[in-house]
Amino acid sequence: QVQLVESGGGLVQTGGALRLACVASGSIFRINYMGWYRQSPGKQREWVASITADGNTGYADSVKGRFFISRDNAKNTLYLQMNSLKPEDTAVYFCRADVVAGSTSRVYWGQGTQVTVSS
């Protein structure tokens, strides 16, 4: 079994910054894709940013140039540096990891961390 635990959320003013972290633990051989997603009340969960095992990154247009994703493979940890935050960034942020254990690959999700940006 694998667990993902996010941290780093909170309340920040417009223009502020936060750094989210997501630690994966458990039966892990390798983590391929890792990503951050977010969900606001009444909206579907949306992709924010992602990173492959060899460091290729992708960003949603709404966060490009403001958010930066990174990972520490030795620590099975995913990060999201969020700068120049806007009220529309307010959401619960979830991390996702595609974990290889033995001969299988499975998608895991964290429980989410709340980010609130006040205007």
Side-chain angles (χ1 to χ4, degrees):
Q1 191 69 8
V2 174
Q3 285 188 322
L4 301 181
V5 179
E6 299 105 331
S7 62
L11 173 65
V12 64
Q13 291 185 333
T14 296
L18 286 173
R19 189 189 194 209
L20 305 184
C22 172
V23 180
S25 62
S27 299
I28 299 170
F29 174 68
R30 183 178 71 248
I31 301 178
N32 292 329
Y33 172 99
M34 297 187 84
W36 289 100
Y37 294 72
R38 66 187 182 187
Q39 188 168 19
S40 304
K43 295 186 178 180
Q44 289 190 333
R45 188 174 298 188
E46 63 174 358
W47 170 72
V48 175
S50 59
I51 184 168
T52 63
D54 54 4
N56 292 318
T57 59
Y59 297 91
D61 288 343
S62 59
V63 306
K64 201 171 292 183
R66 300 187 298 121
F67 290 12
F68 300 93
I69 190 171
S70 61
R71 62 190 284 177
D72 184 331
N73 291 330
K75 296 181 179 179
N76 289 330
T77 301
L78 177 69
Y79 302 99
L80 185 68
Q81 177 66 43
M82 305 187 295
N83 301 325
S84 302
L85 283 160
K86 304 175 181 180
E88 50 264 44
D89 295 319
T90 295
V92 178
Y93 283 71
F94 299 89
C95 71
R96 165 185 162 170
D98 294 4
V99 178
V100 176
S103 60
T104 62
S105 179
R106 181 177 170 182
V107 174
Y108 291 89
W109 291 89
Q111 82 289 347
T113 185
Q114 177 71 47
V115 171
T116 303
V117 184
S118 63
S119 57

